[in-house]
C-alpha cells in the first residue's frame, strides 16, 4: 500500500515548523527516498536535494527536490547520470586482494570483508610493532565526503600522525582556511547568499549584494564546498553586479560589470593596486578600521609601493579600469568577495589571501548582511575529525612529517606537509614510510600532485597499500594490495556538512536508498577497523548512533530527526565580533593575537614572513625567467572545472564522456595559426619538467600569450595494467608542474601559472 516507510516527525527549526517524509512507497512496489548529495561520486559538500526512485533494487529515476531550500529542485548532469554510475558494470562492489608481486597487474581476486580486515589488522600491527605507527600514512583526496573521515581513519583507527593531502603546497582550500584563521581568527569566509534562512532572499535581515567579486572562481561549475553556484544567478536577477577576476572568459565573466582579465599569477599585484586606490582615495570604512583593524598605517605605507600604473604593467589590465573597479568595490554596500583556487594554487597566494581579506575588512563588508559570512574555525563533524588527533601521544604527534619545517601550515592543518612527504618517500628520512592507505584520492592522475612521475616512483617503495574507491583507477592498479569498495551517497546513511564545519550554511541528511554489492562507507570503515585496532576510540554500535552523538549536542536533534527533516538551517547572527561570538573568551573582537583583523600579521612575522602582503612574480614567467620564456613563451594555467566531472572522477560514465570526451587546451586563434594548429588538432604541451597531449580548442577571448589546459584526465577505456595504467601519462598536465615550488610559509604552487610551449602532435 502507498504511504510512508517511517512515521513523520516534526520539530522547530529557526522558528519554522518543518514536516517532511524521507521515504515513500508507491503502489507498484517502487519507492522514493529524499536525500542530500555529497560523495562519492565526487562533489563538494553542497548537499543538493534530490529524490531517488528505486524499483527492484535498482535506481531508476533521479529528480531534484523542489522543497530543498538551497538547490530548490535544480541538479547538475552528474547527479542526473547517477543511475549510470551506481550500476556501471566496471564498479568494484566487493573487497579484493592481490599478491605484492602482482602490483600493476590485473590479478585481483574477490575476498570477504572479514578476510580483508584480518590482512589489514595483521599488517598494521606488524608495522607498528617493528617500525612505529609513524611508518603508516593515509592519503586523502579533495572535496569528497572522505575529507571528514580520513583524518580519524589515520589518527584514531590506525593511530598514525601522518595524514597527507598530497597536492603540492596544500593548494586547495587549506591555504584559504589557514589565512583566514591567522588574519581573522574565524572559519571559512563565504558570500552571504541567504543560505542560512528557510525564506532565503526574502528574509528581513538579508540584503542582496550590490557587487559580487568572483576572484579566480567559476562557482556555476564548481559549486564549491558549501556554496550553491546557481545562487549567483538568483542574486543577479535581484540586481547584483558581477566583478570577475579571471584570465579566462566564462559564462559569468561575459556578463560581468567588470571582467579583469589579468596575466595568470599576478593576482596579488592587482589586490594591492585595489588597496592603493581604496586607501589613497579615502574610500575605506573609517569606523571599522579604527575599531576592529590592526596595522592599518603599516598597510597604507606598503600599498604605496603598488601605484596603479605599476600594477597595470604587471597585470596587463588598464590603469583606469583598475581604479574604476576598486571604487565600485569600495563604495557599493554591500560588496562580497568569493575567492577561489587562484589564491591557493599560487606561491604568492598567502599574500593574495591576506590582501583580499584586507579589502573586505577595510570596506566594512565582513559579517554584514549581503557581505561575507564567518563561522567558527570548526564545528560538528569538522571539529571532531581534527580532535581525534588527541588520541595519539604527543611524542608520536611530534613525528608528523614536515611539521617542524613548516609551522604555519602545521599549525592550521592537522596533516603532513605534502612536499615534505614526497621528500620523505624518496629519501627515507627522517624515517621510512612503509604502508599507505589511499582514501578517495588519485595521486598520480593530474589532480592531486605536482611532479606525478616522482610520486609514482616514490609510492612504489611502500610495502603494503589499501585503496578505497568505487572504480579501478590508475592509483589502485599501480599500488593497491587490498581494494575496499565505497558506496555512493545513494547507498549509505550520512551527513552533509557545508564547508566541512568551518561555516555551516546547513546540515543535510544523506539517506540510504538501496545497496549494490558489499560496499562500506568511510565512517563504516573507520568504525569497523577502529573496533579491531583501538576499540576504546570507537564506542558506537552503529552509524546512526555515531551521527546522533555528533548532532545532538550542537543541534538538539538525533540522526532520525535530521533524516526526516532533510535539511537543518541554523540561522545566522551578523557582526559577531561586536557581540563576543568569535572569541573563546566571550569578549568582543576577533579570535586573533591582537583581537582585531590583522592587516599586519603578528603570526606571519613570528614565522619569519613579511607581516604585510607583497607581490612576487611566479617562479617561471616572462618577467622572472625571460631566458626560459624564449623556449617556452606561453603562460599555462590549469584546473578550470567542468560540469561533467569532479576532478579525475566520472571518466567511465558514457553520458558524461559524450558531452566532454577529450581533454581540452584553450588557445588563441592567432597563436594557433602561427603554430599551424587548427580546431580539434591534438597538440603537445611541453616545458622543462614534462609534456602531455590534449585537443586544441580555439578561444578568441584568451590572451595570445596564455593557454589553459584541462586537468584530471585519464582513460578508463584503455589498458589498465602497467605501464599504461589507463593512459594516465598521456594527458597528465601535472607533469609540467614542478615539485616544491611553494611559498615561504609552505603554501601554494604554480598550478595556475607556469611556462610552456605548444606544438601540433604529428603522431
Amino acid at each position: 500500500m502507498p504511504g510512508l516507510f517511517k512515521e513523520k516527525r516534526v520539530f522547530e527549526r529557526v522558528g519554522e515548523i518543518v514536516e517532511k517524509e524521507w521515504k515513500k512507497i508507491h503502489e507498484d512496489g517502487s519507492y522514493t527516498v529524499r536525500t542530500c548529495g555529497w560523495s562519492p561520486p565526487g562533489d563538494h559538500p553542497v548537499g543538493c536535494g534530490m529524490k531517488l526512485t528505486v524499483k527492484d533494487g535498482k535506481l531508476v529515476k533521479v529528480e531534484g527536490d523542489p522543497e530543498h531550500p538551497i538547490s530548490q529542485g535544480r541538479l547538475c548532469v552528474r547527479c542526473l547520470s547517477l543511475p549510470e554510475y551506481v550500476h556501471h558494470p566496471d564498479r568494484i562492489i566487493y573487497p579484493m586482494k592481490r599478491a605484492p608481486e602482482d602490483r600493476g597487474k590485473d590479478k585481483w581476486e574477490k575476498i570477504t570483508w572479514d578476510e580483508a580486515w584480518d590482512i589489514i589488522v595483521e599488517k598494521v600491527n606488524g608495522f607498528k610493532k617493528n617500525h612505529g605507527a609513524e611508518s603508516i600514512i593515509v592519503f586523502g583526496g579533495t572535496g569528497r565526503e572522505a575529507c571528514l573521515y580520513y583524518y580519524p581513519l589515520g589518527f584514531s583507527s590506525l593511530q598514525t600522525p601522518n595524514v597527507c593531502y598530497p597536492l603540492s603546497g596544500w593548494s586547495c582550500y587549506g591555504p584559504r582556511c589557514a589565512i583566514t584563521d591567522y588574519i581573522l581568527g574565524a572559519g571559512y569566509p563565504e558570500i552571504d547568499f541567504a543560505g542560512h534562512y528557510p525564506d532565503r532572499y526574502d528574509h528581513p535581515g538579508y540584503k542582496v549584494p550590490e557587487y559580487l567579486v568572483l576572484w579566480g572562481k567559476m562557482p556555476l561549475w564548481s559549486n564549491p564546498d558549501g556554496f550553491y553556484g546557481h545562487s549567483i544567478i538568483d542574486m543577479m536577477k535581484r540586481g547584483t553586479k558581477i566583478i570577475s577576476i579571471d584570465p579566462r572568459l566564462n559564462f559569468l565573466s561575459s556578463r560581468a560589470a567588470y571582467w579583469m582579465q589579468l596575466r595568470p599569477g599576478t593576482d596579488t599585484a592587482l589586490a594591492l593596486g585595489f588597496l592603493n586606490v581604496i586607501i589613497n582615495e579615502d574610500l575605506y570604512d573609517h569606523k571599522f578600521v579604527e575599531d576592529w583593524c590592526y596595522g592599518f598605517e603599516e598597510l597604507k605605507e606598503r600599498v604605496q609601493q603598488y601605484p596603479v600604473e605599476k600594477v597595470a604593467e604587471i597585470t596587463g589590465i588598464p590603469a583606469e579600469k583598475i581604479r574604476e573597479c576598486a571604487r565600485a568595490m569600495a563604495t557599493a554596500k554591500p560588496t562580497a568577495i568569493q575567492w577561489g583556487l587562484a589564491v591557493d594554487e599560487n606561491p604568492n597566494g598567502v599574500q593574495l589571501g591576506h590582501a583580499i581579506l584586507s579589502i573586505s575588512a577595510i570596506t566594512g563588508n565582513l559579517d554584514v548582511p549581503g557581505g561575507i559570512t564567518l563561522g567558527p574555525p570548526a564545528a560538528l563533524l569538522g571539529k571532531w575529525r581534527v580532535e581525534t588527533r588527541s588520541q595519539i601521544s604527543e611524542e608520536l604527534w611530534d613525528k608528523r612529517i614536515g611539521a617542524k619545517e613548516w609551522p604555519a601550515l602545521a599549525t592550521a592543518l592537522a596533516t603532513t606537509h605534502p612536499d615534505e612527504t614526497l621528500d620523505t618517500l624518496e629519501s627515507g628520512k627522517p624515517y621510512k614510510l612503509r604502508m599507505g592507505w589511499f582514501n578517495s584520492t588519485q595521486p598520480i592522475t593530474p589532480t592531486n600532485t605536482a611532479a606525478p612521475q616522482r610520486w609514482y616512483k616514490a609510492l612504489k617503495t611502500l610495502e603494503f597499500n589499501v585503496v578505497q574507491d568505487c572504480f579501478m583507477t590508475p592509483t589502485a592498479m599501480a599500488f593497491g594490495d587490498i581494494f575496499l569498495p565505497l558506496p555512493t551517497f545513494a547507498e549509505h546513511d550520512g551527513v552533509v556538512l557545508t564547508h566541512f564545519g568551518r561555516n555551516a550554511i546547513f546540515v543535510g541528511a544523506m539517506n540510504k536508498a538501496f545497496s549494490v554489492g558489499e560496499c562500506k562507507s568511510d565512517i563504516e570503515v573507520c568504525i569497523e577497523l577502529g573496533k579491531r585496532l583501538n576499540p576504546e576510540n570507537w564506542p558506537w554500535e552503529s552509524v546512526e548512533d555515531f551521527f546522533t552523538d555528533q548532532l545532538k549536542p550542537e543541534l538538539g536533534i538525533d540522526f532520525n530527526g535530521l533524516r526526516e527533516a532533510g535539511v537543518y538551517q541554523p540561522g545566522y547572527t551578523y557582526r559577531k565580533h561586536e557581540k563576543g561570538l568569535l572569541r573563546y573568551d566571550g569578549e568582543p573582537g576577533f579570535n586573533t593575537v591582537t583581537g582585531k583583523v590583522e592587516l599586519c600579521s603578528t603570526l606571519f612575522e613570528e614565522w619569519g614572513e613579511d607581516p604585510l602582503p607583497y607581490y612576487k612574480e611566479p617562479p617561471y614567467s616572462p618577467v622572472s625567467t625571460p631566458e626560459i620564456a624564449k623556449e617556452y613563451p606561453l603562460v599555462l594555467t590549469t584546473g578550470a572545472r567542468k560540469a561533467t566531472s569532479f576532478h579525475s572522477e566520472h571518466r567511465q560514465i558514457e553520458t558524461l564522456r559524450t558531452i566532454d570526451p577529450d581533454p581540452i587546451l584553450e588557445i588563441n586563434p592567432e597563436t594557433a595559426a602561427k603554430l599551424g594548429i587548427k580546431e580539434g588538432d591534438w597538440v603537445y604541451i611541453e616545458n622543462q619538467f614534462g609534456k602531455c597531449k590534449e585537443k586544441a580548442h580555439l578561444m578568441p577571448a584568451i590572451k595570445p600569450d596564455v593557454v589553459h589546459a584541462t586537468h584530471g584526465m585519464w582513460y578508463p577505456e584503455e589498458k589498465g595494467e602497467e605501464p599504461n595504467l589507463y593512459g594516465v601519462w598521456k594527458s597528465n598536465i601535472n607533469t609540467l608542474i614542478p615539485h616544491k615550488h611553494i611559498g615561504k610559509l609552505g603554501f601554494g604552487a604554480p598550478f595556475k601559472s607556469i611556462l610552456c610551449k605548444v606544438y601540433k602532435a604529428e603522431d
Side-chain angles (χ1 to χ4, degrees), residues 270-591:
L270 181 60
L272 289 163
F274 286 156
L275 284 165
N276 180 288
V277 173
I278 293 167
I279 292 173
N280 288 342
E281 295 189 7
D282 198 26
L283 303 177
Y284 60 92
D285 185 323
H286 285 251
K287 180 168 175 50
F288 188 88
V289 168
E290 182 178 342
D291 291 346
W292 304 112
C293 292
Y294 170 80
F296 177 77
E297 291 303 321
E298 291 89 337
L299 180 64
K300 180 178 180 179
E301 182 179 350
R302 172 58 54 86
V303 302
Q304 304 314 311
Q305 300 176 22
Y306 298 92
V308 174
E309 285 71 19
K310 176 181 177 180
V311 171
E313 184 178 345
I314 293 171
T315 62
I317 301 172
E320 192 52 39
K321 188 173 183 180
I322 295 173
R323 290 190 182 93
E324 289 179 8
C325 188
R327 291 164 186 157
M329 292 168 61
T331 57
K333 300 293 181 185
T335 292
I337 302 179
Q338 191 178 60
W339 51 2
L341 281 177
V343 177
D344 298 338
E345 297 194 334
N346 182 343
N348 193 212
V350 168
Q351 291 70 39
L352 172 58
H354 193 176
I356 289 173
L357 291 180
S358 298
I359 292 170
S360 293
I362 71 170
T363 56
N365 285 300
L366 288 181
D367 217 14
V368 298
I372 294 175
T373 63
L374 297 175
L380 286 170
L381 289 160
K383 185 179 179 183
W384 163 80
R385 66 169 180 168
V386 175
E387 288 180 343
T388 57
R389 83 98 176 150
S390 65
Q391 294 168 357
I392 59 177
S393 68
E394 287 300 320
E395 179 184 5
L396 190 56
W397 185 243
D398 286 343
K399 295 181 179 180
R400 182 171 44 135
I401 294 170
K404 292 182 175 64
E405 296 86 346
W406 304 98
L409 188 147
T411 299
L413 304 170
T415 64
T416 68
H417 190 288
D419 298 84
E420 290 292 335
T421 302
L422 177 56
D423 291 346
T424 294
L425 283 164
E426 291 179 329
S427 68
K429 298 177 181 178
Y431 48 80
K432 183 174 174 56
L433 292 167
R434 298 176 182 272
M435 173 182 167
W437 191 300
F438 298 86
N439 190 346
S440 292
T441 186
Q442 285 219 62
I444 62 173
T445 54
T447 300
N448 275 122
T449 56
Q453 314 97 310
R454 288 178 60 176
W455 277 92
Y456 172 70
K457 185 177 179 180
L459 290 169
K460 283 286 189 181
T461 65
L462 294 171
E463 299 166 24
F464 177 71
N465 295 309
V466 178
V467 177
Q468 283 178 272
D469 221 313
C470 296
F471 287 87
M472 187 58 61
T473 67
T475 292
M477 186 63 79
F479 312 119
D481 298 301
I482 298 289
F483 191 112
L484 303 181
L486 282 172
T488 68
F489 67 81
E491 300 163 68
H492 73 95
D493 289 330
V495 170
V496 183
L497 187 63
T498 57
H499 284 299
F500 313 99
R502 292 180 180 269
N503 190 347
I505 312 302
F506 69 88
V507 182
M510 283 184 287
N511 294 318
K512 182 176 179 177
F514 61 100
S515 297
V516 175
E518 298 176 4
C519 304
K520 292 184 185 292
S521 68
D522 294 290
I523 186 58
E524 288 177 296
V525 166
C526 283
I527 291 174
E528 291 191 18
L529 179 63
K531 282 184 177 296
R532 285 167 170 80
L533 290 170
N534 301 289
E536 66 278 6
N537 295 342
W538 297 93
W540 303 282
E541 295 303 318
S542 68
V543 168
E544 185 176 304
D545 289 344
F546 168 78
F547 286 122
T548 290
D549 198 46
Q550 297 297 318
L551 295 170
K552 201 140 194 177
E554 297 284 342
L555 305 183
I557 58 172
D558 60 13
F559 180 68
N560 277 330
L562 181 65
R563 180 201 297 281
E564 292 159 19
V567 172
Y568 180 91
Q569 290 171 282
Y572 192 76
T573 300
Y574 295 107
R575 299 181 177 88
K576 290 184 285 296
H577 54 280
E578 297 177 356
K579 301 163 182 155
L581 299 177
L582 287 179
R583 295 178 58 88
Y584 294 116
D585 59 11
E587 293 295 319
F590 292 83
N591 195 41

Side-chain angles (χ1 to χ4, degrees), residues 135-154:
S135 66
I136 303 170
I137 187 165
V138 174
F139 295 101
T142 183
R144 267 190 179 187
E145 184 189 353
C147 290
L148 287 181
Y149 303 112
Y150 66 74
Y151 292 75
L153 172 67

Side-chain angles (χ1 to χ4, degrees), residues 118-129:
D118 288 345
I119 295 170
I120 291 169
V121 168
E122 181 183 4
K123 290 288 187 180
V124 169
N125 287 333
F127 287 124
K128 284 183 177 180
K129 178 180 178 181

Side-chain angles (χ1 to χ4, degrees), residues 682-740:
W682 284 93
V683 299
Y684 279 109
I685 314 156
E686 183 177 348
N687 65 13
Q688 69 269 41
F689 303 109
K691 73 174 185 178
C692 72
K693 186 190 293 187
E694 298 197 357
K695 185 176 281 190
H697 171 53
L698 307 191
M699 173 68 79
I702 202 166
K703 289 187 173 184
D705 59 348
V706 175
V707 291
H708 172 267
T710 298
H711 77 297
M713 191 63 187
W714 57 292
Y715 300 88
E717 66 272 19
E718 292 193 7
K719 185 177 179 180
E721 291 190 332
E722 290 183 329
N724 191 56
L725 292 175
Y726 303 104
V728 72
W729 306 114
K730 181 188 298 184
S731 301
N732 198 322
I733 195 63
N734 284 10
T735 60
L736 282 77
I737 309 300
H739 169 60
K740 213 172 187 178

Side-chain angles (χ1 to χ4, degrees), residues 34-71:
R34 267 197 165 97
T35 192
C36 294
W38 191 353
S39 64
D43 202 347
H44 288 104
V46 182
C48 297
M50 64 193 80
K51 295 189 286 187
L52 308 176
T53 299
V54 178
K55 187 172 184 179
D56 300 326
K58 296 195 70 173
L59 179 62
V60 295
K61 187 178 183 181
V62 178
E63 51 190 334
D65 184 354
E67 293 186 43
H68 190 284
I70 308 297
S71 54

Side-chain angles (χ1 to χ4, degrees), residues 88-292:
H88 196 286
D90 292 340
R91 259 193 79 186
I92 310 298
I93 57 175
Y94 301 100
M96 299 193 302
K97 71 175 182 178
R98 180 175 60 177
E101 63 270 20
D102 289 331
R103 279 194 196 169
K105 300 176 183 178
D106 191 11
K107 291 192 174 183
W108 296 92
E109 62 175 284
K110 177 182 172 183
I111 58 175
T112 66
W113 275 97
D114 283 339
E115 186 177 356
W117 290 138
D118 288 345
I119 295 170
I120 291 169
V121 168
E122 181 183 4
K123 290 288 187 180
V124 169
N125 287 333
F127 287 124
K128 284 183 177 180
K129 178 180 178 181
N130 296 318
H131 307 288
E134 67 272 18
S135 66
I136 303 170
I137 187 165
V138 174
F139 295 101
T142 183
R144 267 190 179 187
E145 184 189 353
C147 290
L148 287 181
Y149 303 112
Y150 66 74
Y151 292 75
L153 172 67
F155 302 148
S156 188
S157 295
L158 299 169
Q159 292 205 299
T160 174
N162 291 319
V163 171
C164 178
Y165 175 57
L167 185 63
S168 180
W170 229 111
S171 298
C172 179
Y173 195 74
R176 282 171 284 162
C177 291
I179 295 162
T180 304
D181 204 5
Y182 300 147
I183 303 304
L184 302 181
Y188 190 85
E190 184 57 271
I191 65 170
D192 187 0
F193 64 107
H196 296 89
Y197 310 116
D199 47 355
R200 295 298 304 280
Y201 308 106
D202 297 324
H203 186 77
Y206 178 71
K207 186 176 181 181
V208 177
E210 290 191 34
Y211 276 96
L212 173 57
V213 183
L214 303 175
W215 205 309
K217 199 159 197 155
M218 194 351 192
L220 288 185
W221 294 158
S222 61
N223 294 305
D225 304 308
F227 178 78
Y228 187 72
H230 203 86
S231 299
I232 290 179
I233 305 299
D234 293 338
M235 288 184 282
M236 289 172 71
K237 290 177 180 178
R238 289 163 172 79
T240 298
K241 299 182 183 68
I242 301 297
I243 296 172
S244 175
I245 302 173
D246 203 313
R248 299 176 66 245
L249 180 70
N250 58 52
F251 179 90
L252 290 171
S253 59
S254 71
R255 290 153 176 81
Y258 296 94
W259 174 31
M260 311 299 280
Q261 190 182 22
L262 74 175
R263 173 165 64 92
T266 63
D267 303 72
T268 309
L270 181 60
L272 289 163
F274 286 156
L275 284 165
N276 180 288
V277 173
I278 293 167
I279 292 173
N280 288 342
E281 295 189 7
D282 198 26
L283 303 177
Y284 60 92
D285 185 323
H286 285 251
K287 180 168 175 50
F288 188 88
V289 168
E290 182 178 342
D291 291 346
W292 304 112

